[in-house]
């Protein structure tokens, strides 16, 4: 009865109904993270492609080295550190007490389960980072680092797919996010078999950027008072897929412009030119790591 009364309570003037789960920052922060990560990957893929040669053909990888220091696996380290901080933030920091999993009567603590779901997602990326480090310093089967990264996205997608609840607007937004996440995982799995395909390697960061864009967009749709996104108005949910595909086309077009800009730079300044069909690696590797030999193909710009 209390819930019915709460649902029927009038909203303050100038406000609309917002989801009871999640928060603005909870969508904005991961969105910014995926935007930065995807942009870094996109630039790294194009840069590696333009610096490829017959002796050092293009080959996709689970992570890409920073310009400096090249001998330190910065990205895998960040992939371990950031999720570790995220897990602590979900389960401990910022709360009055540890987000325990069980109630005294033996039931799961329902209002803590979302924190545990997010922590499981962070753990998947943390493990992918650890596998990156092991592949860097030891000998592991080829593609295991990319496989671990793909599985991290599969786990993220699974957790979000069981997160689909609320009104139609909320469900549609998160369904499109889940589709983007699973597409990212599929592309990474495909990269294992086709590691010389530049277009396929570029599609991964494009999807990650789109995931970041959509996280940020979801924050502004679901947690800001804008009558255009009133969840009780059917037009709001009808507009969601239109906005999604518009953003997708924008990300694709901007990525193409970045490619053309880098192509012009390497052609005019560096006096090199690499069409997409040039210097691909058709051979299959039998092992991954140590990674240091591959880092030579990412020399200074």
């Amino acid at each position: 009865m209390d819930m019915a009364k709460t649902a029927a309570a009038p909203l303050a003037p100038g406000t609309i109904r917002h989801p009871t789960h999640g928060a603005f920052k909870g969508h904005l922060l991961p969105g910014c993270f995926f935007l930065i990560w995807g942009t870094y990957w996109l630039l790294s893929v194009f840069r590696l492609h333009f610096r490829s040669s017959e002796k050092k053909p293009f080959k996709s990888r689970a992570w890409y080295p920073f310009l400096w220091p090249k001998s330190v696996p910065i990205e895998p380290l960040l992939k371990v550190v950031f999720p570790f901080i995220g897990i602590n933030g979900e389960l401990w920091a910022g709360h009055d007490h540890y987000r325990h999993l069980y109630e005294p009567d033996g039931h799961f603590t329902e209002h803590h389960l979302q924190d545990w779901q997010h922590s499981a997602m962070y753990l998947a990326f943390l493990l992918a980072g650890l596998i990156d480090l092991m592949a860097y310093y030891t000998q592991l089967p080829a593609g295991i680092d990319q496989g671990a990264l793909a599985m991290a996205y599969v786990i993220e997608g699974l957790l979000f797919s069981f997160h689909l609840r609320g009104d139609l607007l909320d469900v549609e937004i998160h369904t499109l996010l889940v589709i983007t996440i699973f597409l990212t995982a599929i592309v990474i799995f495909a990269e294992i078999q086709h590691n010389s395909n530049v277009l396929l390697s570029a599609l991964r960061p494009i999807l990650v950027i789109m995931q970041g864009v959509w996280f940020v967009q979801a924050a502004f749709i679901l947690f800001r008072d804008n009558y255009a996104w009133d969840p009780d108005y059917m037009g709001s949910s009808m507009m969601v897929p239109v906005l999604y595909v518009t953003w997708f086309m924008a990300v694709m077009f901007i990525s193409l412009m970045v490619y053309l800009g880098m192509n012009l730079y390497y052609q005019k300044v560096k006096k090199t030119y690499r069409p997409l069909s040039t210097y691909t690696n058709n051979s299959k590797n039998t092992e991954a790591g140590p990674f240091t030999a591959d880092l030579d193909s990412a020399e200074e710009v």
Side-chain angles (χ1 to χ4, degrees):
M1 293 181 69
D2 292 337
M3 291 178 64
K5 288 180 182 178
T6 302
L11 295 169
T15 63
I16 61 174
R17 187 164 50 84
H18 301 301
T20 56
H21 60 279
F24 181 81
K25 289 183 179 179
H27 289 74
L28 183 66
L29 292 178
C32 293
F33 171 78
F34 282 115
L35 272 172
I36 295 171
W37 196 10
T39 301
Y40 171 72
W41 271 351
L42 187 70
L43 296 174
S44 297
V45 168
F46 289 160
R47 178 174 175 273
L48 188 62
H49 162 64
F50 286 120
R51 294 197 62 82
S52 63
S53 64
E54 290 182 288
K55 292 183 178 180
K56 296 174 183 175
F58 175 86
K59 185 177 72 172
S60 68
R61 55 195 67 180
W63 60 275
Y64 294 89
F66 279 38
L67 293 178
W68 184 89
K70 296 177 190 176
S71 59
V72 179
I74 300 294
E75 186 181 335
L77 290 172
L78 294 177
K79 208 185 295 182
V80 172
V81 172
F82 283 167
F84 180 78
I85 294 173
I87 292 171
N88 280 274
E90 292 285 348
L91 300 182
W92 184 262
H95 303 297
D96 295 333
H97 53 79
Y98 175 71
R99 311 299 273 180
H100 53 80
L101 189 57
Y102 294 98
E103 296 284 8
D105 61 2
H107 286 100
F108 291 114
T109 307
E110 188 173 350
H111 60 282
H112 289 176
L113 290 180
Q114 185 167 286
D115 299 305
W116 282 88
Q117 287 177 341
H118 294 166
S119 297
M121 179 182 69
Y122 292 140
L123 180 61
F125 285 100
L126 188 153
L127 292 176
L130 289 176
I131 291 174
D132 286 344
L133 291 172
M134 287 188 285
Y136 179 80
Y137 289 111
T138 65
Q139 299 289 336
L140 292 178
I144 192 170
D145 47 356
Q146 288 170 299
L149 180 63
M151 285 305 303
Y153 279 101
V154 169
I155 291 169
E156 181 194 6
L158 277 174
L159 290 170
F160 270 108
S161 65
F162 289 101
H163 195 62
L164 301 176
R165 61 180 184 273
D167 51 59
L168 180 60
L169 179 67
D170 194 352
V171 171
E172 279 194 3
I173 289 172
H174 285 90
T175 298
L176 290 170
L177 182 61
V178 168
I179 292 172
T180 308
I181 295 169
F182 279 125
L183 283 175
T184 306
I186 291 171
V187 168
I188 298 172
F189 277 126
E191 282 186 82
I192 299 174
Q193 283 295 109
H194 306 281
N195 62 6
S196 63
N197 192 313
V198 181
L199 293 176
L200 190 63
S201 298
L203 183 57
R204 185 220 302 183
I206 288 172
L207 287 168
V208 173
I209 291 172
M210 187 60 209
Q211 184 179 339
V213 167
W214 200 240
F215 260 120
V216 174
Q217 184 67 78
F220 283 94
I221 291 176
L222 296 174
F223 301 101
R224 285 293 181 263
D225 291 320
N226 184 342
Y227 279 116
W229 299 112
D230 186 348
D232 298 319
Y233 172 55
M234 179 59 69
S236 299
S237 58
M238 293 176 66
M239 187 61 190
V240 165
V242 178
L243 185 60
Y244 178 86
V245 297
T246 302
W247 271 120
F248 210 132
M249 290 185 287
V251 171
M252 294 283 288
F253 180 77
I254 293 171
S255 299
L256 177 60
M257 292 300 101
V258 171
Y259 175 85
L260 292 176
M262 293 183 68
N263 186 20
L264 185 64
Y265 169 78
Y266 277 93
Q267 188 175 356
K268 299 296 184 181
V269 179
K270 291 295 184 179
K271 307 300 182 183
T272 60
Y273 176 65
R274 301 286 186 270
L276 287 177
S277 60
T278 304
Y279 301 142
T280 57
N281 182 11
N282 296 319
S283 62
K284 291 196 168 113
N285 299 314
T286 56
E287 60 185 19
F291 212 81
T292 49
D294 284 339
L295 293 180
D296 292 338
S297 62
E299 296 173 353
E300 63 277 359
V301 177

